[in-house]
């Protein structure tokens, strides 16, 4: 398996871990202590602690970006585009994703924290564009 494919698998695993250890644990804690009904968590209505709301949003952000990364990795594999740059960018995307999620979940969202969080997102966005450009250049030349 290629490094980008491993990073895609890591991205999916991270998305599931984030769901389990933020949203999942919070909801089951509330349900098991009878503070909340199992049907009491409505989609789109985030009720609960600030930490829970940040965890929910961090997970949703992973879900939103996972398909983008998946399409890029599929295109890399179908195009047989590889190399050190591709591997390093894929790793950087994954590291930035973890740091963005952790910054979102672990810290109250002050201006400074959001600036750092956006920086981690920007690294991913830049990485996506670098990989897309690499694929296109490989087929144009």
């Amino acid at each position: 398996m290629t490094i980008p494919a491993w990073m895609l698998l890591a991205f999916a695993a991270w998305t599931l871990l984030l769901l389990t250890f933020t949203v999942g644990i919070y909801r089951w804690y509330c349900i098991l202590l009878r503070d909340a009904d199992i049907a009491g968590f409505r989609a789109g209505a985030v009720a609960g602690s600030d930490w829970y709301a940040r965890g929910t949003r961090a997970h949703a952000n992973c879900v939103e970006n996972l398909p983008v990364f998946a399409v890029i990795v599929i295109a890399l594999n179908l195009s047989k585009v590889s190399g050190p740059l591709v591997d390093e960018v894929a790793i950087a995307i994954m590291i930035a994703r973890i740091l963005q999620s952790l910054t979102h979940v672990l810290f109250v969202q002050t201006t400074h924290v959001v600036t750092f969080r956006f920086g981690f997102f920007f690294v991913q966005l830049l990485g996506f564009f670098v990989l897309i450009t690499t694929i296109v250049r490989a087929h144009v030349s």
Side-chain angles (χ1 to χ4, degrees):
M1 207 157 62
T2 65
I3 296 294
W6 278 111
M7 294 304 101
L8 178 58
L9 184 62
F11 199 124
W14 177 251
T15 302
L16 293 172
L17 287 170
L18 199 57
L19 172 66
T20 301
F21 290 103
T22 59
V23 178
I25 285 178
Y26 181 86
R27 287 185 181 185
W28 282 108
Y29 176 80
C30 290
I31 292 164
L32 293 175
L33 290 179
R34 303 196 191 278
D35 290 344
D37 182 56
I38 197 164
F41 297 96
R42 301 283 181 222
V46 177
S49 70
D50 186 48
W51 177 85
Y52 168 70
R54 292 193 316 266
T56 300
R57 188 63 207 128
H59 171 257
N61 190 256
C62 284
V63 170
E64 293 164 357
N65 285 278
L66 181 58
V68 175
F69 193 36
V71 167
I72 293 168
V73 171
I74 290 167
L76 284 167
N77 287 335
L78 290 174
S79 301
K80 297 184 181 5
V81 173
S82 63
L85 174 68
V86 169
D87 293 348
E88 291 166 6
V89 170
I91 292 168
I93 288 169
M94 189 61 229
I95 292 169
R97 166 52 50 190
I98 291 170
L99 292 173
Q100 179 189 0
S101 299
L102 289 175
T103 303
H104 205 156
V105 173
L106 297 177
F107 300 99
V108 174
Q109 299 300 288
T110 65
T111 301
H112 287 55
V113 170
V114 172
T115 301
F116 275 103
R117 195 180 87 216
F118 177 77
F120 297 133
F121 173 71
F122 187 75
V123 168
Q124 293 165 77
L125 191 63
L126 185 62
F128 291 159
F129 283 120
V130 167
L131 293 177
I132 290 168
T133 302
T134 303
I135 294 165
V136 170
R137 289 180 68 195
H139 287 284
V140 170
S141 55

